[in-house]
Amino acid sequence: MTGMTRETMEYDVVIVGAGPAGLSAAIRLKQLDADLNVVVLEKGSEVGAHILSGAVLDPCGLDALIPDWKDRGAPVTVPVRRDNFYMLGEAGQIRVPNWPMPPLMNNHGNYIVSMANVCRWMAEQAEGLGVEIFPGMACSELVYDGARVKGVVAGEFGKNPDGTPGDGYEPGMELHGKYVFLSEGVRGSLSKEVMAKYDLSKGHEPQKFGLGMKEIWEIDPEKHREGTVTHTMGWPLGGNAGGGSFIYHLDNNQVYVGFVVHLNYANPYLSPYQEFQRFKHHPMVAELLKGGKRVAYGARAISEGGYQSIPKVVFPGGALLGCSAGLVNVPRIKGNHNAMLSGKAAAEAAFDAITAGREGDELTAYETDLREGPVGRDLWKVRNVKPMWSRWGLLPSLKLGGLDMWTNTLGFSLFGTMGHGKTDAAATGEAKDHSPIDYPKPDGKISFDRLTNVAFSFTNHEESQPAHLTLKDASVPIGVNLPKYAEPAQRYCPAGVYEVVEEEGKDPRFVINFQNCVHCKTCDIKDPSQNIHWVTPQGGDGPNYPNM
């Protein structure tokens, strides 16, 4: 807000986001110099409240950051014991043997974890080193000093729905740093701003995304197999979209059941959420869940572009970390290890710069480390799997992608580096070229409607604040998206935020139920008109995931 006077606080490094990348950076900075002033700002009500991940964790990031993590009591205690991969048909499945898969696909030595709980533990380690961590502090603006990023505005509360200050308005604070790290996760609003301002994607492929949805189930103890990892492809998506599922047996008779849909699908009538619910009725899955109960639900976008889609990760005064930079290894379905390694690398570059008396410049050493170090090597080997899948479909990409991963493991590729082409928004087809999909009604036992499931994300937004789901042009949903694309927002959102309300004798209305939002960012990514812009709500609002 123009003309606003705010209190300021000065730090050496300001970190936005208490995920694995941001917390790793904070820990590493204090390991290198206990006197550095480091702050981590988290928009969730507590650390971990907005963390959603599969997750099978490759511990190499933890090994590099905190070698004695086992002795320190890290909540990383369920090793992978069995690794299964299935191709599903509507009524049955075929197991794909493990032996033809390249070594990088092996989950031996990895752990089934709750990343929310891992982040809570990492926050304890960081605070023990003297890092200041402020949850419930959404960062709503960047602060610039000339051409550089100088800091962020955090903790602004009490705006009216029209954006004007309310009776209890608090303007927030400016937190300035010699460097600002953005570790907001996928499609963060501040990261999106700096990518546009500094043209960080120039010369790189567009980022690609998937939508990951996850439920935690408590199942019959007789069916529970602690340490078992199962991945599937095929039904119910078929040729409609790329994607697949994960089923992870952790401890306490709990199972993570998840489903990922690549967001480059063409049919605007497709509902990723409904595909997830239909998947659970496959005989293999339904038998596992029968007699159990779902205890949590959530959804989050996943970066899938890989090596060729990593933007320039440094800008004057700061850097992009973790999923803000798009560091997920798609075939491995893993990104947390790379997030940790990126945080560590950024911290080391910032420490060297500050020690040399620098500030506000570009941390080029971090850029080099990310691309040429362990993160770059991890992503380079699998860089063609996603574009192959997009171009040729599931079965050819399985064969050719496997071949390419094998050859890259040996040091060469027959395919070079393939491109992605269109953005996921541009991949959306017109309604006239596709048919509506008739989804079965949820049974309330294994499958659930969206609003019922959203209650299990424990999401909450103060209704008196401005909607954080903003439209660049309010006429586009009904004037453009409805006739051209059958307004896909009412289907691609996994939380039922968007509705087209039609009443007899009245024009259709586009309704945004922002209170339901689980911060997945799918709308910001998939809207074919790129008319929806996600901005952060006030701090503490959003999902409150217990142990996702």
Side-chain angles (χ1 to χ4, degrees):
M1 300 177 70
T2 57
M4 180 66 62
T5 300
R6 295 184 170 96
E7 293 184 28
T8 63
M9 295 182 69
E10 301 292 332
Y11 290 89
D12 290 306
V13 180
V14 174
I15 300 172
V16 181
L23 291 170
S24 294
I27 290 168
R28 186 59 180 150
L29 283 163
K30 296 294 279 188
Q31 287 174 338
L32 291 167
D33 186 347
D35 293 329
L36 286 174
N37 292 317
V38 181
V39 64
V40 179
L41 303 164
E42 166 57 39
K43 68 182 173 68
S45 60
E46 64 169 352
V47 173
H50 290 181
I51 297 293
L52 187 148
S53 183
V56 170
L57 177 68
D58 180 338
C60 65
L62 268 183
D63 290 340
L65 184 70
I66 308 174
D68 60 343
W69 54 266
K70 287 184 180 180
D71 295 335
R72 289 174 176 264
V76 182
T77 58
V78 181
V80 175
R81 295 186 173 96
R82 286 171 291 275
D83 206 356
N84 304 316
F85 184 80
Y86 291 95
M87 289 294 298
L88 299 187
E90 187 168 359
Q93 66 275 346
I94 298 173
R95 180 169 181 188
V96 179
N98 293 59
W99 62 264
M101 298 183 187
L104 62 89
M105 296 295 288
N106 189 346
N107 273 311
H108 178 74
N110 298 331
Y111 293 81
I112 301 171
V113 301
S114 158
M115 279 310 298
N117 290 337
V118 171
C119 287
R120 292 182 179 106
W121 175 82
M122 291 179 69
E124 293 173 0
Q125 308 308 302
E127 288 178 323
L129 292 169
V131 175
E132 295 181 38
I133 301 177
F134 298 129
M137 291 284 278
C139 296
S140 52
E141 298 177 42
L142 290 165
V143 178
Y144 295 94
D145 180 12
R148 66 164 286 199
V149 172
K150 183 181 181 180
V152 297
V153 174
E156 189 173 20
F157 290 91
K159 286 185 178 180
N160 292 319
D162 63 0
T164 59
D167 293 338
Y169 177 71
E170 298 178 20
M173 301 183 66
E174 287 190 10
L175 295 97
H176 299 165
K178 294 173 182 175
Y179 295 98
V180 176
F181 290 169
L182 301 180
S183 51
E184 303 173 285
V186 173
R187 199 74 164 194
S189 52
L190 301 186
S191 303
K192 187 178 169 183
E193 180 178 331
V194 298
M195 288 177 71
K197 180 177 177 66
Y198 298 106
D199 200 14
L200 301 184
S201 293
K202 183 179 180 181
H204 304 281
E205 287 289 310
Q207 188 57 265
K208 306 293 285 183
F209 300 93
L211 171 59
M213 297 153 287
K214 175 181 174 182
E215 295 171 356
I216 302 178
W217 280 74
E218 291 179 358
I219 65 168
D220 182 342
E222 292 187 3
K223 301 176 184 177
H224 187 254
R225 302 290 182 268
E226 183 176 309
T228 296
V229 165
T230 298
H231 293 109
T232 78
M233 292 181 179
W235 190 88
L237 291 174
N240 282 331
S245 83
F246 59 87
I247 302 172
Y248 302 154
H249 292 242
L250 59 161
D251 50 5
N252 299 319
N253 297 318
Q254 288 195 331
V255 174
Y256 294 150
V257 182
F259 199 76
V260 177
V261 177
H262 303 331
L263 290 177
N264 61 349
Y265 62 82
N267 187 346
Y269 292 107
L270 186 137
S271 166
Y273 177 84
Q274 297 277 25
E275 297 288 348
F276 175 30
Q277 298 306 303
R278 185 160 63 165
F279 155 76
K280 291 185 294 176
H281 284 280
H282 187 277
M284 182 181 79
V285 185
E287 178 57 32
L288 176 70
L289 301 181
K290 184 179 178 182
K293 65 177 182 178
R294 160 221 45 187
V295 296
Y297 165 75
R300 191 71 172 92
I302 304 165
S303 61
E304 295 186 337
Y307 188 90
Q308 53 271 62
S309 295
I310 300 173
K312 183 179 179 181
V313 294
V314 296
F315 49 88
L320 301 173
L321 277 55
C323 283
S324 289
L327 306 182
V328 171
N329 184 315
V330 173
R332 295 186 74 200
I333 323 179
K334 292 178 180 63
N336 292 303
H337 64 300
N338 285 337
M340 293 177 185
L341 292 169
S342 75
K344 178 176 179 289
E348 290 167 353
F351 166 74
D352 288 343
I354 293 169
T355 301
R358 292 162 36 208
E359 66 173 274
D361 59 348
E362 293 189 2
L363 295 170
T364 54
Y366 168 55
E367 180 89 31
T368 300
D369 188 302
L370 194 74
R371 295 185 187 279
E372 298 180 4
V375 175
R377 291 193 294 270
D378 182 62
L379 296 178
W380 179 255
K381 295 176 183 178
V382 302
R383 67 193 181 281
N384 289 325
V385 172
K386 170 65 175 177
M388 284 178 173
W389 198 338
S390 300
R391 189 174 303 183
W392 297 320
L394 175 57
L395 292 178
S397 69
L398 275 179
K399 297 174 183 177
L400 295 175
L403 172 64
D404 193 58
M405 286 189 286
W406 265 112
T407 57
N408 273 285
T409 300
L410 299 173
F412 68 96
S413 172
L414 301 174
F415 299 92
T417 299
M418 298 174 65
H420 293 301
K422 296 179 180 179
T423 66
D424 292 332
T428 309
E430 295 188 22
K432 65 180 177 61
D433 298 323
H434 297 274
S435 300
I437 300 173
D438 184 20
Y439 289 106
K441 185 178 179 180
D443 68 356
K445 297 177 181 178
I446 290 177
S447 53
F448 312 97
D449 65 77
R450 281 185 294 186
L451 295 185
T452 298
N453 236 359
V454 166
F456 284 80
S457 71
F458 313 104
T459 195
N460 182 63
H461 295 84
E462 172 55 54
E463 296 186 18
S464 63
Q465 68 182 304
H468 64 281
L469 302 161
T470 64
L471 301 177
K472 298 173 186 176
D473 183 340
S475 70
V476 165
I478 300 302
V480 178
N481 283 357
L482 185 59
K484 192 172 183 180
Y485 303 105
E487 185 44 273
Q490 56 190 325
R491 289 176 292 277
Y492 60 58
C493 173
V497 168
Y498 302 99
E499 291 181 275
V500 174
V501 178
E502 300 189 46
E503 300 171 311
E504 189 174 349
K506 297 181 180 180
D507 292 333
R509 292 183 295 118
F510 189 64
V511 176
I512 302 176
N513 304 300
F514 75 88
Q515 298 88 347
N516 294 353
C517 179
V518 294
H519 298 198
C520 73
K521 312 293 179 66
T522 301
C523 55
D524 194 295
I525 296 163
K526 185 59 176 172
D527 176 40
S529 298
Q530 286 295 273
N531 187 53
I532 299 175
H533 179 50
W534 195 102
V535 298
T536 188
Q538 67 183 23
D541 287 5
N544 284 281
Y545 296 135
N547 57 339
M548 288 287 199

